[in-house]
Amino acid sequence: MNPQTAAPTGRESTSDSLGTREMRRILASSFIGSAIEFYDFILYATAASLVFGKLFFAGMPPAVGLFASFSTLAVGYLARPLGGAIFGHFGDRLGRKGVLIVSMVLMGAATTAIGVLPTGAQIGVAAPTLLVVLRLVQGLAVGGEWGGAMLVALEHAPSTRRGFAASFANMGGPAGAVLATLVVSAFSTLPDAEFLSWGWRVPFLLSTALIAIGLLIRLKVSETPLFLELESKAERRKIPLLEVVTQYPRNLVLGIVAGMSSYTVQGLMTVWAVAYAIDLGVDRTGVLNVKAVGAALTVVGIWFAARLSDRFGRKPVMLVGMLAGAVLAYPIVLLLQTGTLWGFAIGLFLANGIVQGVIFGPFGAFVAELFPTRMRYTGASLAYQTASTLGAGFTPVIASGLVLAAGGDLWLIALVWALSFLISAASVLATREGRTVDLAGETR
């Protein structure tokens, strides 16, 4: 039987249910671990919008300081594909579970260190330098997290439910964003002097407790049956990264371009638009609270879209989200230009709850089904993390440049954004539907 069209074998799980005690533990680990890692990662993005330009790039004009702050944000995104390659290599060679534990410890250490980092006024140029180094460590850690968290759920799940199972790692990301935003929002109610002095640091220091909770859960999860099956064959395996780029380059590129669509939403709406709205005079705490609600709506969108993808396929669901994004791009930027909290809220809810949620829900399974087990951690991580780098890491900087090019108007942002959705939709159309692929075989 041709492995490209074979019906699912069910080897991903010994049960057809996600309700067993073991599966509930696995899904919880995937969700909570991802939420904690992205709490740390998104916390930095929020602080980059509100704090870092003032504390680590003091003495510069405000616009220049914000640009420099966003540039350090981009550094973390640049490190994510490298983290995906490094952690993916060991995840494909040694197993998913151990690599996930290392990535979580690394993220927690970097985030806690940012919370105690002296400012530019205290240690000069060493402050932004250390900030960049710690952001690089964050990027490496989160680069290894998502692929492993997603695969532990997907490779344990029954074949008919793996789209939904894989989405728990995707839901963990915005859930972590909700937590990070609410914690920063609570401390942003402090007077400006106190918030800039110590208030912003507390959310970073809380990461230590969250990491401890995540490790307790993650240590109880077993290795995936698909990896154990691969390991039992005792065949000589090549370097996963080389196999991905030489044997599956088309799948890798298509996965990257498809993933960029949802990440432009994240970079534009949860980073750049936050700073833009506050600069227009919108209340800071109100913006952060709206951002938290938007992230919660993303979780809801992911939930429903992932379930639909198990019934109708990954491609149809993702295409609906991408086409909706192209249509809504201009109305969303018009809402941002109102300079009101309600305009920001409606724009964010449309972008995050509908567009990003619908695209992102099936994406974990979509990208995992592009690669076989022996290189799945590496291939899926590279596609996902490179998409995040290109789609979200540079979006705030690019958006700032597009505003300048358009003389302060946002129409150019809308145009480029709509085109990016259409390009991503074309890449999805060029892939094969993966819902019925046998994960234990080749996927080409």
Side-chain angles (χ1 to χ4, degrees):
M1 184 177 291
N2 189 336
Q4 296 185 29
T5 57
T9 65
R11 277 176 285 185
E12 297 96 321
S13 175
T14 58
S15 169
D16 288 332
S17 171
L18 295 180
T20 65
R21 182 176 181 181
E22 174 68 6
M23 276 307 306
R24 288 197 299 268
R25 182 187 298 119
I26 289 164
L27 296 178
S29 170
S30 180
F31 177 85
I32 294 172
S34 182
I36 292 170
E37 292 260 3
F38 278 88
Y39 166 88
D40 290 353
F41 200 75
I42 299 300
L43 183 61
Y44 187 104
T46 306
S49 301
L50 303 176
V51 175
F52 291 160
K54 300 172 183 177
L55 297 182
F56 295 97
F57 303 97
M60 298 180 180
V64 177
L66 185 61
F67 182 87
S69 180
F70 282 156
S71 297
T72 68
L73 178 69
V75 166
Y77 281 98
L78 279 173
R80 286 175 67 162
L82 179 59
I86 294 172
F87 284 96
H89 172 85
F90 291 105
D92 282 329
R93 298 297 294 268
L94 304 178
R96 303 0 181 165
K97 179 180 175 178
V99 170
L100 281 174
I101 292 171
V102 173
S103 73
M104 180 170 281
V105 171
L106 195 63
M107 175 63 88
T111 304
T112 302
I114 292 173
V116 297
L117 187 64
T119 65
Q122 294 171 315
I123 60 173
V125 71
T129 302
L130 289 172
L131 186 66
V132 170
V133 170
L134 292 171
R135 182 58 176 174
L136 280 169
V137 174
Q138 279 194 322
L140 292 172
V142 82
E145 165 65 25
W146 178 86
M150 180 272 295
L151 288 182
V152 165
L154 177 131
E155 292 184 346
H156 274 98
S159 58
T160 56
R161 305 293 303 281
R162 66 191 187 210
F164 184 53
S167 75
F168 276 74
N170 288 351
M171 287 188 280
V178 171
L179 181 60
T181 305
L182 288 177
V183 172
V184 175
S185 177
F187 283 93
S188 74
T189 59
L190 293 167
D192 281 351
E194 293 184 34
F195 179 67
L196 292 175
S197 173
W198 60 269
W200 70 272
R201 297 181 181 275
V202 179
F204 284 86
L205 298 177
L206 288 175
S207 174
T208 303
L210 295 176
I211 293 295
I213 294 170
L215 285 175
L216 286 175
I217 297 171
R218 186 155 279 178
L219 286 168
K220 297 180 180 180
V221 173
S222 60
E223 187 55 78
T224 75
L226 280 173
F227 180 82
L228 293 176
E229 180 182 336
L230 176 69
E231 195 173 45
S232 68
K233 294 177 181 177
E235 61 182 24
R236 184 177 181 274
R237 280 177 268 163
K238 300 177 182 178
I239 298 174
L241 177 60
L242 293 180
E243 285 200 281
V244 169
V245 298
T246 58
Q247 297 183 29
Y248 288 79
R250 182 176 181 273
N251 290 19
L252 177 62
V253 172
L254 292 174
I256 290 170
V257 178
M260 285 175 60
S261 56
S262 65
Y263 268 108
T264 60
V265 179
Q266 181 175 308
L268 191 68
M269 297 303 298
T270 65
V271 181
W272 175 82
V274 168
Y276 179 80
I278 292 173
D279 286 345
L280 289 181
V282 182
D283 176 66
R284 179 179 65 193
T285 302
V287 166
L288 291 174
N289 289 337
V290 165
K291 180 182 173 183
V293 174
L297 289 175
T298 306
V299 175
V300 176
I302 289 171
W303 175 284
F304 283 106
R307 292 178 71 93
L308 288 173
S309 80
D310 279 332
R311 181 174 181 182
F312 299 108
R314 323 303 182 208
K315 291 174 61 174
V317 177
M318 292 175 66
L319 286 170
V320 168
M322 291 169 183
L323 294 177
V327 171
L328 291 173
Y330 191 63
I332 288 171
V333 299
L334 285 179
L335 287 165
L336 294 178
Q337 279 191 302
T338 64
T340 62
L341 184 60
W342 69 262
F344 174 78
I346 296 173
L348 187 75
F349 296 163
L350 288 172
N352 285 50
I354 296 177
V355 177
Q356 187 179 24
V358 172
I359 298 171
F360 209 38
F363 184 70
F366 169 84
V367 74
E369 289 160 354
L370 294 175
F371 305 97
T373 303
R374 69 180 184 277
M375 65 182 82
R376 185 170 296 127
Y377 199 143
T378 301
S381 294
L382 270 180
Y384 176 90
Q385 302 302 346
T386 305
S388 73
T389 298
L390 298 176
F394 293 99
T395 297
V397 175
I398 292 171
S400 300
L402 291 174
V403 172
L404 293 174
D409 200 273
L410 303 188
W411 68 268
L412 195 52
I413 288 179
L415 176 61
V416 173
W417 201 18
L419 288 174
S420 72
F421 282 119
L422 294 176
I423 292 170
S424 293
S427 72
V428 170
L429 286 171
T431 64
R432 186 199 45 186
E433 176 57 54
R435 181 170 63 96
T436 57
V437 167
D438 177 7
L439 292 184
E442 293 295 313
T443 59
R444 284 186 291 188

